[in-house]
Amino acid sequence: MILDTKKYLGPCACGKDHELRTKLVVCEPGALARFDQYMADSGLSGFRTVIYDTNTYNLPGMIHVKADQEIILNAEGLHSEKGLIEDMMTKLERTPDYVVVVGGGTLMDFGRYSAWKLGIPFVAIPTIVSSDGFTADICSIIIDGQKKSIPMQAADAVICDMNIVSGAPMFLTIAGVQDILAKYISIADWKIAHIVSGEYFCQRVCDMAQEALDIMMRCAHELEAGKSPDFEAMAYAQMISGLTMQILSNSRAASGAEHLVAHLVEMKPRGFENAHGLHGECVGIGTLMCAKAYHEFAKRDTIQVKPYEPLNEQWVRDVFGPLADGIIEENKNDVLKTFPPENIQKHWQEIRDIIAQIPSYEDLLALYTKIGAKHTLAELGIDESVESEFLDISSAIRNRLTFARMTRLIQK
């Protein structure tokens, strides 16, 4: 399957003319055997640096594409951190004409950042379908202890060999399912933000995210029924979701309040000191927690709102410790100040209707349990006592308008 990216481009009813850097997306068995031809088709030639980690380099059945230089990073302790990426760049023998990155979501950040920094193209070779970052231009990296999602550079081409992807451990595949099912929350958050604050919204991009979600939910139900994973469909869903980020140059359609669990796991504030887990596992549990909280609010026929108040600085310092100054800076221009709280009350029935499109906590929990997905904070090494403050803690780390953040304006 070769994804036709052209259908998402051009003038849109939202008033924008959408563009994509990624012109070629291939998800086929044996795709790596045709890698050089795909590079020629993409107009990429010259000195080629190929980046692996020790796990992806030694994968059974891995085809090592031709390289003028190979860089093999130690997989142990590897994470998306600015210093680690810049250290990797010191290993470059020369500025390559393009870089090729072989791996999962973490390694793709190494490609996006270095290609952006050097002003060269990069090509993604996914080895798992546990992330939607392969076609995205958002680099989620840790800078000075805080997780930041920053537009960098999308891949010029994504070559996904289904023979490689299908050999990944099942828990990685399940994490990918959870990553896309998280779109139930991110789509709802975007729609609610639009009707409450007038934030920019694009129906075409939202429909793309919904298409990825629908495909992955079908795949999840097939797994629930005991069928074999549909790796090609799963990869297709991940690629579409990533393209939404590239079109918007932000992760609005693909990442809402549920994704902030993954950020907290890496930042390790109070209650998260021993936290660990794959990105998809983290956002999957975030999806469960948001679904539970959102539906609980939506049970109310009416609500009362209260005036905006900034975050309590002492609470921020108690929760985030040495990260507190960064959290305070992040919230300096709080998006909650950009609209009257009464807008939430005025549009409450519309908000309830949007939340009604999210599966219940019970239904999601049953699905996760049946397919073997992680579904509790304890499984991530997180102190379960933080659940009562989850919406407040998570929404504080990113100044994005989500329903979770809006609950600060709703009378409890």
Side-chain angles (χ1 to χ4, degrees):
M1 178 269 294
I2 296 180
L3 179 61
D4 179 15
T5 60
K6 295 186 182 67
K7 65 181 180 180
Y8 304 121
L9 306 180
C12 180
C14 74
K16 295 191 176 183
D17 193 350
H18 296 315
E19 298 180 352
L20 286 170
R21 183 181 181 105
T22 305
K23 300 298 191 297
L24 179 65
V25 179
V26 179
C27 299
E28 292 181 341
L32 288 183
R34 299 183 290 277
F35 186 79
D36 287 341
Q37 183 58 54
Y38 290 134
M39 294 303 94
D41 294 344
S42 301
L44 297 174
S45 61
F47 192 95
R48 179 195 293 174
T49 297
V50 184
I51 302 168
Y52 303 83
D53 67 19
T54 48
N55 289 338
T56 61
Y57 190 83
N58 295 308
L59 279 175
M62 171 57 70
I63 295 176
H64 298 108
V65 299
K66 288 188 293 186
D68 297 292
Q69 181 189 3
E70 288 184 340
I71 295 177
I72 305 170
L73 303 171
N74 187 351
E76 186 176 352
L78 194 67
H79 59 279
S80 301
E81 199 272 325
K82 182 172 178 280
L84 291 177
I85 299 173
E86 292 183 341
D87 179 67
M88 181 275 293
M89 293 173 64
T90 66
K91 304 179 190 300
L92 294 169
E93 294 174 359
R94 49 159 282 187
T95 300
D97 291 295
Y98 65 106
V99 295
V100 178
V101 181
V102 185
T106 295
L107 274 176
M108 293 306 144
D109 284 335
F110 281 69
R112 267 186 291 273
Y113 183 96
S114 58
W116 169 78
K117 194 83 170 178
L118 297 170
I120 60 174
F122 101 92
V123 175
I125 298 179
T127 55
I128 51 177
V129 287
S130 63
S131 165
D132 58 1
F134 303 111
T135 51
D137 65 349
I138 304 299
C139 197
S140 294
I141 61 176
I142 295 177
I143 301 175
D144 298 328
Q146 282 193 262
K147 190 77 169 182
K148 298 287 186 181
S149 294
I150 304 169
M152 290 287 180
Q153 183 170 310
D156 287 60
V158 181
I159 312 300
C160 186
D161 192 323
M162 305 316 300
N163 293 340
I164 302 296
V165 166
S166 62
M170 192 61 184
F171 73 92
L172 294 174
T173 300
I174 296 299
V177 173
Q178 291 181 282
D179 184 43
I180 296 298
L181 297 191
K183 278 47 176 175
Y184 278 115
I185 305 300
S186 63
I187 291 171
D189 278 338
W190 194 18
K191 289 179 176 179
I192 293 170
H194 172 64
I195 64 173
V196 167
S197 73
E199 179 184 325
Y200 165 74
F201 180 81
C202 175
Q203 189 61 55
R204 181 191 292 180
V205 174
C206 186
D207 288 345
M208 291 170 64
Q210 186 66 52
E211 180 185 4
L213 174 55
D214 292 342
I215 291 170
M216 194 62 87
M217 183 52 99
R218 175 182 62 78
C219 292
H221 284 311
E222 289 176 354
L223 290 176
E224 185 181 26
K227 296 182 180 179
S228 299
D230 186 343
F231 289 106
E232 191 164 340
M234 289 177 177
Y236 184 83
Q238 298 283 9
M239 301 305 167
I240 296 173
S241 181
L243 290 176
T244 69
M245 293 185 255
Q246 192 179 152
I247 288 174
L248 296 175
S249 281
N250 63 62
S251 59
R252 191 34 146 157
S255 172
E258 81 296 330
H259 261 65
L260 299 175
V261 174
H263 293 195
L264 288 168
V265 166
E266 295 191 58
M267 293 168 64
K268 302 193 184 307
R270 187 191 74 199
F272 289 79
E273 294 89 348
N274 299 312
H276 55 84
L278 297 170
H279 174 82
E281 294 170 340
C282 296
V283 304
I285 290 170
T287 301
L288 281 173
M289 298 181 71
C290 286
K292 185 177 185 179
Y294 285 20
H295 280 293
E296 192 61 35
F297 273 97
K299 288 178 182 178
R300 305 186 195 180
D301 293 330
T302 59
I303 58 164
Q304 297 298 317
V305 294
K306 55 187 178 181
Y308 167 80
E309 292 182 4
L311 287 173
N312 181 285
E313 183 174 334
Q314 189 56 55
W315 175 83
V316 173
R317 296 198 180 280
D318 288 345
V319 171
F320 292 98
L323 301 173
D325 287 341
I327 299 297
I328 291 168
E329 181 66 27
E330 175 72 15
N331 288 276
K332 187 176 290 185
N333 298 309
D334 197 330
V335 289
L336 290 182
K337 296 190 292 185
T338 63
F339 64 92
E342 291 74 22
N343 283 6
I344 302 174
Q345 198 169 20
K346 177 182 176 182
H347 294 284
W348 184 240
Q349 188 53 53
E350 294 167 78
I351 293 171
R352 295 177 76 202
D353 291 341
I354 292 169
I355 292 173
Q357 301 305 307
I358 302 170
S360 70
Y361 167 82
E362 292 76 16
D363 286 347
L364 284 172
L365 179 62
L367 175 62
Y368 283 6
T369 303
K370 191 67 181 290
I371 66 176
K374 288 186 178 179
H375 52 274
T376 67
L377 290 173
E379 289 176 292
L380 298 178
I382 299 172
D383 185 343
E384 293 190 321
S385 67
V386 307
E387 183 171 358
S388 61
E389 288 187 283
F390 168 72
L391 293 188
D392 291 331
I393 294 172
S394 61
S395 60
I397 67 174
R398 189 173 195 182
N399 190 21
R400 168 172 283 176
L401 188 55
T402 63
F403 182 69
R405 196 177 186 91
M406 289 181 208
T407 60
R408 283 170 47 198
L409 301 176
I410 298 175
Q411 295 281 6
K412 298 297 191 284

